[in-house]
Structure formats: structure tokens, C-alpha cells
Amino acid sequence: MNSIINSLSVFGLGLIGGSFALAIKNKFPEIKVYGVDQNLEHARKALELNIIDEIKSADDNEVLQSDLIILAIPVSAIHDILPQLLSDVSEKTVIIDAGSTKGSICQNISKHPNREQFVAAHPIAGTEYSGPEAAFPKLFEDKKNIICEFDLSSEKAQKYANWFFETVGMNNIFMDAEDHDKHLAYVSHLSHISSFMLGLTVLNIEKDEENILNLAGSGFASTVRLAKSSPDMWAPIFQQNKSHLSKALDEYILQLQVFKENLEEGNSEELKAIMLKANQIRKVLS
Amino acid sequence: MNSIINSLSVFGLGLIGGSFALAIKNKFPEIKVYGVDQNLEHARKALELNIIDEIKSADDNEVLQSDLIILAIPVSAIHDILPQLLSDVSEKTVIIDAGSTKGSICQNISKHPNREQFVAAHPIAGTEYSGPEAAFPKLFEDKKNIICEFDLSSEKAQKYANWFFETVGMNNIFMDAEDHDKHLAYVSHLSHISSFMLGLTVLNIEKDEENILNLAGSGFASTVRLAKSSPDMWAPIFQQNKSHLSKALDEYILQLQVFKENLEEGNSEELKAIMLKANQIRKVLS
């Protein structure tokens, strides 16, 4: 596979943006990679780690003239800067976002005259770590990438997106933006909140952290892993997906309340039946 | 280290009992290992896999004369059979349980004339899998084992327990039985329920399981891992720890409700502050 671009600008040099830059530079060292980050420490670190070739500001001419711009910044920032960025970039530039919500971002630029230069994507990849030091080039390998409203992107933008996600090793799935947000509320956003709140509940009771360290097994570590995730990244995701997520939380809380009632009433058979249903997750996730 | 026992009877040939048998046989092949399991299929499988040397019934004379008996059966069964077993075993026999609750098991035999032949233990080890096929000898290596009310066990029973847990590679921690149950409600039992209910909530909404498979990342898989656990093992644990667990569930549900209210009111800064607190789990679990 050949490179079809000469220049790439990455907005946001954390885990996702940094890993994209590394994956592209690994395969195509000839591509010029510009890095944009409000956090100057992150930008300098990314340069030091050879994740990017140059630090640039968002309104730099070479950034606005890039063949491809990747937005790997919090979804609130994507939402806010995308309309102006679509107006400012050159005609040849394609912009792809990597935000974990898609509905409000797509809605916000649906009538933009340059809408077709944009591809709405959500690479399903990540770890609980953040920042440029957490980036690694194989993060996306064999992972799924969701693309929404692909028919609203130009042929050229589609071609760039296909090339980009293939280069980093991802498999594309195509969905409606609202459907995406609804499903992700359940399979991703809810599990982050369940983990954050589990961590908080345990920390509140176990003032002596030694107890957690001594008594927690690998099961607790696994369940609470996502509680290490970045608040700055996740608060905007939760806000942008508020209506679906609020419903998902209602359903989760209801299940917990039903379980608690059965526990208090000593309905062991009902508890077992509930857990047996939950066991079906085995069929999906081995 | 030499073997200090000649015979071992393991009640319950699942993940925990099977792994104990394998760990002991690995180090001391000369020890005769008897297996007791109500599930005859499990017993036969354990024999076939060389996890045990012979299948026995619980009232078999050689079992009751064993140097050491390990109870790796559901906590409800430990609770129910332990008083009679303590009456039936030979004077030289030491019994160690591996139940995930300790309060009611200890309470139930506190006045038994042979109380000192018993050691109340909780090895903090396991996976989400169950049955003899899930057993492996290194399950316990470098893991913590909690022993409760050790001063109520005879010197000989203490010596056997120290030898046994050292042989399988565990480090002992000593606790009060009620304290154990309270802490475990938070760092283990609650995380199992949060995971079971997460799995259930997602399965309820995602009737098309393909969606879960396609859209779930490693984060969801990690958070929902414990939802694969055995209902037969966990229902009795939850029941025996009902009062602590019910309180833990109340606190967890409250945290979720507070989070949801802040979400619905658009208090992003408060959401971030809550998540930042939960992030402190990093200090404990790297």
C-alpha cells in the first residue's frame, strides 16, 4: 500500500492522537506529521518521543493546508472547533474525527457547505491511560472503527478515511450517528460510569488503602480498571450522550435495586436466575 | 520443605479445590489426594485429569481419617456440613475452609467442642471460570490468603494451615471474621454484582448480540468479566454477607444516582471532580 497523503495534522497528542501519529509514521516515515495540542507539555513530550515532526498552532497555515487532519481531542472541543475548521481548511484537506460520540458533532455541521470534507469516526480502541507517553503504534491493530454518515463525505474523503484506518490496522463498521450514540451508551459509557462509581464507593469506605491492596483480587482490579480513565476526556462524552446515557443509568440502577430487594428477601433462586441471565454475556465475549 | 501430611481430602473439585489439589500433588506427589464432589461428572473429570487420586464420598472412612480436609464448596454448604464434619473426623484431622465469607461459618461452630481442629480461611484467588477443567496449580502463587480467628485453631491446625498455604504459594493475612466480611462486601462482592448487573443491562437492550461484539472495546470486556462467574457459588456468598452487602449496594446506587443528577443538570465540573476522586484508585491498583 502506498501513501496517498504527504502531510498529516493531529489535533490532540494523547493516547489516541499520539498512537495514530506513531502508526502512520511507522508505515510511512515520509509523511510530514504536525502536532497541535493546547497542552504545551504534551506537545513537547510528543516531539521528544518522535510522535510528531513539528509542533504547530491550530491556525497555522501548514496545518490548514494539510492533506489530512485528525481530531483526537475531547468531544466538546471537536463539537466547538469543527465548523470553523471546515471553513478555514484548504479545499483539498480532509478532516476525520475520533470522538466517542457522533450525534451532536454530526448535527452541528450537517448544513456546513464543506460537510463533505469531513468523516465522522469512532475508533474503538483505548486503554485506561492517557497522554503522549501512553501512545503506542499498535493500539488500533485489529480493532473496530465506526464510521457514521459515510454517504455525506465526498468520494475523496471516503478514500482517505479508508486508507487511513486500513493503514493503522482497523476494520470499519458503518452506522447511523444516533444509533451509534445509543449503543455506545450501553456498551461503553455505562461501563465507565459503573467502574468510576465502584472505585469511588470502595475508596469512600476503605480509608485505609492498605485494605484494598491486601483484600482485592484480580476480579476487583478488572472491574475498577476504567475508574482510572481521564475525567477531561469522559465528562464531555457523557454530556454529549446525556439522553441515552441517562436512560442506561436508570436501567442499570433498576437492575441493582431489584437484585438488592431479592437479596434482602433471601430469594436465592431468583438471584441465581438473574445471574444466570447475566452469564449469557459469555456467548458474546469469550 | 517437607510434606507434613500423608493424606488430603478435597471437598469440591471446581476451580479452587481442583487447583489446591494440583498445587499439592505437584510439590508432593506422595500425598494421597481424595476427592469429594456431589457433582459426579466433576468428580470423574477431576480423576481423569489427575487432579485427585480417588473419588470418595463425604462419609468415607479414609476421608474422615485424612490428615487434612479442604472445603472448597459453596459457602452455604460449608456452613451446613461443618458442624457434623467436625464431630465425625478423627482427632488428628485438620479442616480448612476456603469460603469467601467468614462470619456465619465461624459463628456456626464457635461453641463446637472440636472448634480448634478448624482453620477459617479465604484464599483471594480465582478466575471467572469454574469446574475442574478451570483448575491450574499456579492459581494461588503470590496471592493473599486471609485467615480469621487463627487463635481459635490449635497449634497443630495452625501449623498445617501455614504449611498448606506456603506450599501453594500464598501469603497469609490475619483478620477478624466480621471485619473480613465487611471489607469483602466492598472490594469483592459489590464488584461482582456491579458486573453481573452491567452484563444484564446491556444484554437486555442489545437483543442483537452482534452489536455488543462489534461495538464493545476492551474496557467493557474488563468491566463485565465477572458477570461470567458461577451463580451457584455466588448466590450463597451474597446471602451470607447480606447485611454488609446490602449497605454497600445502597452506597453504590447512591453514587450512581448523584452522578446521574449531575449529568442531567449539566454539571460537567462536578462530574469531573467525582471522576477525579475515583481516579485515586490508581494509587492502590497500578
PDB file of all heavy atoms in Angstrom, chain A residues 79-100:
ATOM      1  N   HIS A  79     -16.727  19.268  18.788  1.00  0.00           N
ATOM      2  CA  HIS A  79     -18.005  19.930  18.519  1.00  0.00           C
ATOM      3  C   HIS A  79     -17.806  21.431  18.281  1.00  0.00           C
ATOM      4  O   HIS A  79     -18.351  21.994  17.329  1.00  0.00           O
ATOM      5  CB  HIS A  79     -18.944  19.689  19.701  1.00  0.00           C
ATOM      6  CG  HIS A  79     -20.287  20.311  19.570  1.00  0.00           C
ATOM      7  ND1 HIS A  79     -20.545  21.621  19.941  1.00  0.00           N
ATOM      8  CD2 HIS A  79     -21.456  19.831  19.090  1.00  0.00           C
ATOM      9  CE1 HIS A  79     -21.813  21.900  19.705  1.00  0.00           C
ATOM     10  NE2 HIS A  79     -22.388  20.830  19.185  1.00  0.00           N
ATOM     11  N   ASP A  80     -17.005  22.054  19.118  1.00  0.00           N
ATOM     12  CA  ASP A  80     -16.883  23.510  19.064  1.00  0.00           C
ATOM     13  C   ASP A  80     -15.999  24.024  17.926  1.00  0.00           C
ATOM     14  O   ASP A  80     -16.287  25.066  17.362  1.00  0.00           O
ATOM     15  CB  ASP A  80     -16.351  24.043  20.409  1.00  0.00           C
ATOM     16  CG  ASP A  80     -17.353  23.812  21.537  1.00  0.00           C
ATOM     17  OD1 ASP A  80     -18.521  23.466  21.236  1.00  0.00           O
ATOM     18  OD2 ASP A  80     -16.973  23.975  22.711  1.00  0.00           O
ATOM     19  N   ILE A  81     -14.908  23.315  17.603  1.00  0.00           N
ATOM     20  CA  ILE A  81     -13.984  23.884  16.595  1.00  0.00           C
ATOM     21  C   ILE A  81     -14.285  23.414  15.183  1.00  0.00           C
ATOM     22  O   ILE A  81     -13.845  24.037  14.219  1.00  0.00           O
ATOM     23  CB  ILE A  81     -12.494  23.606  16.915  1.00  0.00           C
ATOM     24  CG1 ILE A  81     -12.132  22.139  16.673  1.00  0.00           C
ATOM     25  CG2 ILE A  81     -12.130  24.043  18.325  1.00  0.00           C
ATOM     26  CD1 ILE A  81     -10.626  21.903  16.593  1.00  0.00           C
ATOM     27  N   LEU A  82     -15.028  22.318  15.040  1.00  0.00           N
ATOM     28  CA  LEU A  82     -15.188  21.736  13.704  1.00  0.00           C
ATOM     29  C   LEU A  82     -15.826  22.686  12.669  1.00  0.00           C
ATOM     30  O   LEU A  82     -15.313  22.777  11.539  1.00  0.00           O
ATOM     31  CB  LEU A  82     -15.967  20.414  13.795  1.00  0.00           C
ATOM     32  CG  LEU A  82     -16.071  19.595  12.499  1.00  0.00           C
ATOM     33  CD1 LEU A  82     -14.708  19.325  11.879  1.00  0.00           C
ATOM     34  CD2 LEU A  82     -16.815  18.282  12.758  1.00  0.00           C
ATOM     35  N   PRO A  83     -16.876  23.434  13.005  1.00  0.00           N
ATOM     36  CA  PRO A  83     -17.472  24.308  11.982  1.00  0.00           C
ATOM     37  C   PRO A  83     -16.457  25.323  11.425  1.00  0.00           C
ATOM     38  O   PRO A  83     -16.311  25.465  10.200  1.00  0.00           O
ATOM     39  CB  PRO A  83     -18.606  25.014  12.738  1.00  0.00           C
ATOM     40  CG  PRO A  83     -18.951  24.080  13.857  1.00  0.00           C
ATOM     41  CD  PRO A  83     -17.653  23.447  14.251  1.00  0.00           C
ATOM     42  N   GLN A  84     -15.736  25.988  12.319  1.00  0.00           N
ATOM     43  CA  GLN A  84     -14.761  26.982  11.861  1.00  0.00           C
ATOM     44  C   GLN A  84     -13.618  26.312  11.093  1.00  0.00           C
ATOM     45  O   GLN A  84     -13.162  26.825  10.063  1.00  0.00           O
ATOM     46  CB  GLN A  84     -14.213  27.758  13.071  1.00  0.00           C
ATOM     47  CG  GLN A  84     -13.374  28.968  12.715  1.00  0.00           C
ATOM     48  CD  GLN A  84     -14.182  30.007  11.942  1.00  0.00           C
ATOM     49  OE1 GLN A  84     -15.273  30.384  12.348  1.00  0.00           O
ATOM     50  NE2 GLN A  84     -13.667  30.438  10.781  1.00  0.00           N
ATOM     51  N   LEU A  85     -13.183  25.165  11.573  1.00  0.00           N
ATOM     52  CA  LEU A  85     -12.074  24.461  10.923  1.00  0.00           C
ATOM     53  C   LEU A  85     -12.467  24.062   9.502  1.00  0.00           C
ATOM     54  O   LEU A  85     -11.670  24.216   8.561  1.00  0.00           O
ATOM     55  CB  LEU A  85     -11.699  23.230  11.756  1.00  0.00           C
ATOM     56  CG  LEU A  85     -10.375  22.548  11.407  1.00  0.00           C
ATOM     57  CD1 LEU A  85      -9.188  23.484  11.624  1.00  0.00           C
ATOM     58  CD2 LEU A  85     -10.184  21.276  12.246  1.00  0.00           C
ATOM     59  N   LEU A  86     -13.686  23.575   9.337  1.00  0.00           N
ATOM     60  CA  LEU A  86     -14.169  23.213   7.987  1.00  0.00           C
ATOM     61  C   LEU A  86     -14.189  24.428   7.070  1.00  0.00           C
ATOM     62  O   LEU A  86     -13.984  24.299   5.854  1.00  0.00           O
ATOM     63  CB  LEU A  86     -15.580  22.609   8.075  1.00  0.00           C
ATOM     64  CG  LEU A  86     -15.683  21.092   8.282  1.00  0.00           C
ATOM     65  CD1 LEU A  86     -17.140  20.673   8.513  1.00  0.00           C
ATOM     66  CD2 LEU A  86     -15.106  20.317   7.094  1.00  0.00           C
ATOM     67  N   SER A  87     -14.437  25.592   7.643  1.00  0.00           N
ATOM     68  CA  SER A  87     -14.429  26.821   6.835  1.00  0.00           C
ATOM     69  C   SER A  87     -13.013  27.252   6.489  1.00  0.00           C
ATOM     70  O   SER A  87     -12.771  27.808   5.413  1.00  0.00           O
ATOM     71  CB  SER A  87     -15.113  27.966   7.598  1.00  0.00           C
ATOM     72  OG  SER A  87     -16.439  27.623   7.896  1.00  0.00           O
ATOM     73  N   ASP A  88     -12.066  26.998   7.411  1.00  0.00           N
ATOM     74  CA  ASP A  88     -10.713  27.540   7.258  1.00  0.00           C
ATOM     75  C   ASP A  88      -9.772  26.660   6.436  1.00  0.00           C
ATOM     76  O   ASP A  88      -8.817  27.156   5.850  1.00  0.00           O
ATOM     77  CB  ASP A  88     -10.075  27.749   8.641  1.00  0.00           C
ATOM     78  CG  ASP A  88     -10.750  28.870   9.414  1.00  0.00           C
ATOM     79  OD1 ASP A  88     -11.542  29.616   8.788  1.00  0.00           O
ATOM     80  OD2 ASP A  88     -10.510  28.978  10.633  1.00  0.00           O
ATOM     81  N   VAL A  89      -9.998  25.362   6.417  1.00  0.00           N
ATOM     82  CA  VAL A  89      -9.019  24.479   5.755  1.00  0.00           C
ATOM     83  C   VAL A  89      -9.070  24.626   4.234  1.00  0.00           C
ATOM     84  O   VAL A  89     -10.065  25.131   3.681  1.00  0.00           O
ATOM     85  CB  VAL A  89      -9.249  22.982   6.108  1.00  0.00           C
ATOM     86  CG1 VAL A  89      -8.897  22.716   7.555  1.00  0.00           C
ATOM     87  CG2 VAL A  89     -10.659  22.540   5.757  1.00  0.00           C
ATOM     88  N   SER A  90      -8.004  24.166   3.593  1.00  0.00           N
ATOM     89  CA  SER A  90      -7.949  24.225   2.131  1.00  0.00           C
ATOM     90  C   SER A  90      -8.973  23.260   1.537  1.00  0.00           C
ATOM     91  O   SER A  90      -9.441  22.343   2.220  1.00  0.00           O
ATOM     92  CB  SER A  90      -6.550  23.853   1.656  1.00  0.00           C
ATOM     93  OG  SER A  90      -6.386  22.448   1.719  1.00  0.00           O
ATOM     94  N   GLU A  91      -9.291  23.452   0.289  1.00  0.00           N
ATOM     95  CA  GLU A  91     -10.269  22.609  -0.410  1.00  0.00           C
ATOM     96  C   GLU A  91      -9.843  21.146  -0.450  1.00  0.00           C
ATOM     97  O   GLU A  91     -10.673  20.240  -0.515  1.00  0.00           O
ATOM     98  CB  GLU A  91     -10.421  23.084  -1.856  1.00  0.00           C
ATOM     99  CG  GLU A  91     -11.464  24.162  -2.042  1.00  0.00           C
ATOM    100  CD  GLU A  91     -11.552  24.571  -3.505  1.00  0.00           C
ATOM    101  OE1 GLU A  91     -11.301  23.713  -4.388  1.00  0.00           O
ATOM    102  OE2 GLU A  91     -11.849  25.761  -3.752  1.00  0.00           O
ATOM    103  N   LYS A  92      -8.519  20.940  -0.467  1.00  0.00           N
ATOM    104  CA  LYS A  92      -8.010  19.573  -0.623  1.00  0.00           C
ATOM    105  C   LYS A  92      -7.967  18.806   0.701  1.00  0.00           C
ATOM    106  O   LYS A  92      -7.755  17.598   0.734  1.00  0.00           O
ATOM    107  CB  LYS A  92      -6.608  19.607  -1.247  1.00  0.00           C
ATOM    108  CG  LYS A  92      -5.578  20.267  -0.328  1.00  0.00           C
ATOM    109  CD  LYS A  92      -4.138  19.922  -0.692  1.00  0.00           C
ATOM    110  CE  LYS A  92      -3.191  20.397   0.414  1.00  0.00           C
ATOM    111  NZ  LYS A  92      -1.822  19.998   0.287  1.00  0.00           N
ATOM    112  N   THR A  93      -8.167  19.528   1.822  1.00  0.00           N
ATOM    113  CA  THR A  93      -7.998  18.903   3.146  1.00  0.00           C
ATOM    114  C   THR A  93      -9.200  18.037   3.530  1.00  0.00           C
ATOM    115  O   THR A  93     -10.342  18.420   3.330  1.00  0.00           O
ATOM    116  CB  THR A  93      -7.806  19.992   4.226  1.00  0.00           C
ATOM    117  OG1 THR A  93      -6.675  20.787   3.862  1.00  0.00           O
ATOM    118  CG2 THR A  93      -7.582  19.371   5.604  1.00  0.00           C
ATOM    119  N   VAL A  94      -8.893  16.862   4.091  1.00  0.00           N
ATOM    120  CA  VAL A  94      -9.939  16.003   4.661  1.00  0.00           C
ATOM    121  C   VAL A  94      -9.771  15.992   6.182  1.00  0.00           C
ATOM    122  O   VAL A  94      -8.642  15.928   6.682  1.00  0.00           O
ATOM    123  CB  VAL A  94      -9.840  14.560   4.102  1.00  0.00           C
ATOM    124  CG1 VAL A  94     -10.761  13.606   4.877  1.00  0.00           C
ATOM    125  CG2 VAL A  94     -10.169  14.539   2.610  1.00  0.00           C
ATOM    126  N   ILE A  95     -10.879  16.115   6.892  1.00  0.00           N
ATOM    127  CA  ILE A  95     -10.840  16.091   8.365  1.00  0.00           C
ATOM    128  C   ILE A  95     -11.560  14.839   8.858  1.00  0.00           C
ATOM    129  O   ILE A  95     -12.673  14.540   8.432  1.00  0.00           O
ATOM    130  CB  ILE A  95     -11.550  17.333   8.963  1.00  0.00           C
ATOM    131  CG1 ILE A  95     -10.928  18.622   8.412  1.00  0.00           C
ATOM    132  CG2 ILE A  95     -11.476  17.303  10.500  1.00  0.00           C
ATOM    133  CD1 ILE A  95     -11.671  19.898   8.861  1.00  0.00           C
ATOM    134  N   ILE A  96     -10.914  14.077   9.732  1.00  0.00           N
ATOM    135  CA  ILE A  96     -11.539  12.905  10.362  1.00  0.00           C
ATOM    136  C   ILE A  96     -11.507  13.117  11.867  1.00  0.00           C
ATOM    137  O   ILE A  96     -10.467  13.476  12.415  1.00  0.00           O
ATOM    138  CB  ILE A  96     -10.765  11.601  10.024  1.00  0.00           C
ATOM    139  CG1 ILE A  96     -10.646  11.407   8.505  1.00  0.00           C
ATOM    140  CG2 ILE A  96     -11.449  10.401  10.663  1.00  0.00           C
ATOM    141  CD1 ILE A  96      -9.820  10.181   8.104  1.00  0.00           C
ATOM    142  N   ASP A  97     -12.621  12.889  12.539  1.00  0.00           N
ATOM    143  CA  ASP A  97     -12.574  12.988  13.994  1.00  0.00           C
ATOM    144  C   ASP A  97     -12.544  11.587  14.604  1.00  0.00           C
ATOM    145  O   ASP A  97     -12.841  10.593  13.932  1.00  0.00           O
ATOM    146  CB  ASP A  97     -13.745  13.815  14.549  1.00  0.00           C
ATOM    147  CG  ASP A  97     -14.954  12.947  14.857  1.00  0.00           C
ATOM    148  OD1 ASP A  97     -15.324  12.133  13.986  1.00  0.00           O
ATOM    149  OD2 ASP A  97     -15.527  13.075  15.956  1.00  0.00           O
ATOM    150  N   ALA A  98     -12.159  11.527  15.876  1.00  0.00           N
ATOM    151  CA  ALA A  98     -12.062  10.239  16.564  1.00  0.00           C
ATOM    152  C   ALA A  98     -12.859  10.284  17.860  1.00  0.00           C
ATOM    153  O   ALA A  98     -12.537   9.618  18.838  1.00  0.00           O
ATOM    154  CB  ALA A  98     -10.598   9.910  16.859  1.00  0.00           C
ATOM    155  N   GLY A  99     -13.922  11.070  17.859  1.00  0.00           N
ATOM    156  CA  GLY A  99     -14.706  11.270  19.085  1.00  0.00           C
ATOM    157  C   GLY A  99     -15.586  10.083  19.433  1.00  0.00           C
ATOM    158  O   GLY A  99     -16.094   9.393  18.550  1.00  0.00           O
ATOM    159  N   SER A 100     -15.821   9.894  20.730  1.00  0.00           N
ATOM    160  CA  SER A 100     -16.616   8.756  21.207  1.00  0.00           C
ATOM    161  C   SER A 100     -18.122   9.004  21.145  1.00  0.00           C
ATOM    162  O   SER A 100     -18.900   8.130  21.490  1.00  0.00           O
ATOM    163  CB  SER A 100     -16.239   8.415  22.649  1.00  0.00           C
ATOM    164  OG  SER A 100     -14.906   7.978  22.699  1.00  0.00           O
TER     165      SER A 100
END
